[in-house]
Amino acid sequence: MTEKQIPRGFDEAAVSARLTESVTGVDGVTGLAPGLRDMIANAAARVMRRSGSEPLRVEVWRAGEDLNVRVDAHLDDSRPVTEIVDELFAVIAVDLRAAVDGPIGEVDIDVRIVSRSH
């Protein structure tokens, strides 16, 4: 990718942190679960006898002009799942537009409900 093709105004860590705060603030979301990257990091840490990993977060990454978002969440039963997921999609859309300086192509949002508790 040449310098002219590199998308401007996208800091993966900052956008992920912003979305994590917004997603965990949605009523009915009780926490995040480890995504694939976190599980791999934890496995590697155990093999290398290190402890800890990065805090759980919403994963956001860019593929060209397109954005990918992965949320692995624990929910409570205070609201219907569809209502919570609809709000997650709305929060993510608003935050992405506010956090990313420049064009946003397609947005692929993958929400995985890991558990639902009382």
Side-chain angles (χ1 to χ4, degrees), residues 13-56:
V15 175
S16 293
R18 180 184 180 124
L19 288 180
T20 297
E21 186 175 325
S22 296
V23 163
T24 56
V26 170
D27 287 339
V29 175
T30 60
L32 298 175
L36 182 59
R37 291 180 189 181
D38 292 315
M39 288 189 295
I40 291 170
N42 284 336
R46 279 193 297 273
V47 168
M48 298 175 73
R49 302 215 186 310
R50 291 184 301 165
S51 61
S53 66
E54 292 184 26
L56 300 178

Side-chain angles (χ1 to χ4, degrees), residues 37-84:
R37 291 180 189 181
D38 292 315
M39 288 189 295
I40 291 170
N42 284 336
R46 279 193 297 273
V47 168
M48 298 175 73
R49 302 215 186 310
R50 291 184 301 165
S51 61
S53 66
E54 292 184 26
L56 300 178
R57 64 187 178 125
V58 172
E59 295 177 28
V60 180
W61 66 97
R62 189 163 224 160
E65 292 290 316
D66 300 339
L67 290 171
N68 296 289
V69 179
R70 171 78 188 248
V71 178
D72 297 290
H74 296 285
L75 306 181
D76 63 28
D77 62 355
S78 64
R79 299 168 60 194
V81 171
T82 54
E83 190 176 296
I84 295 170

